[in-house]
Amino acid sequence: MRSERTLVIVDGANVVGSVPDGWWRDRRGAAERLRDFLVPFAAAGLPGHPGPVELVLVVEGAARGVASVPGVRVESAPGSGDDLIVELVAAEAARSAGHGCVVVTADRELRQRVEAYGTQCAGPRAVRPLPPSRTD
């Protein structure tokens, strides 16, 4: 049985883009808000993955350079965020046979790429609230 924390890798661009809250006007700010929103998950964990977990937020493009905070390590992709996520998953799989790794994304192609390493996937709703419903 593995005693280490579950590694949770969050596809920042995909998760930010899952909520139409104007993120496209300030991609870096949106990534920082997501990072800050993720902090409690480091201790609490995700559904099916009790905490504490090791959280890594992968950012790309205009969101590069967002700083890490206690509980959330931020990795800036030099190119494609998906490629960096696959690299991180591959390194974790080599270290731990893929046990205890979860990628949070809705990107089907990325899911296929990381599942090839035995990694589990969760959708953005695992870490993002749904937008408020309009009842008017």
Side-chain angles (χ1 to χ4, degrees):
M1 181 172 201
R2 191 167 178 239
S3 62
E4 297 174 31
R5 293 180 178 186
T6 299
L7 175 62
V8 177
I9 303 170
V10 179
D11 179 356
N14 187 268
V15 173
V16 163
S18 70
V19 178
D21 61 0
W23 59 264
W24 51 90
R25 291 187 293 268
D26 180 10
R27 293 169 194 258
R28 183 182 179 104
E32 289 170 340
R33 287 189 299 279
L34 174 59
R35 175 205 58 201
D36 295 346
F37 187 81
L38 291 172
V39 169
F41 289 96
L46 301 177
H49 303 280
V53 298
E54 179 184 353
L55 265 167
V56 177
L57 173 62
V58 174
V59 296
E60 64 187 5
R64 285 188 194 108
V66 168
S68 297
V69 296
V72 181
R73 185 175 92 226
V74 180
E75 293 282 342
S76 293
S80 161
D82 290 2
D83 290 345
L84 178 56
I85 291 168
V86 173
E87 287 176 29
L88 294 170
V89 165
E92 178 68 9
R95 188 177 72 77
S96 67
H99 299 292
C101 187
V102 178
V103 172
V104 179
T105 187
D107 182 317
R108 288 183 188 176
E109 182 181 327
L110 177 57
R111 282 176 172 250
Q112 290 176 339
R113 291 174 69 189
V114 299
E115 286 171 349
Y117 290 95
T119 298
Q120 297 179 12
C121 292
R125 289 182 187 176
V127 296
R128 289 294 300 252
L130 294 175
S133 297
R134 294 189 63 176
T135 57
D136 52 347

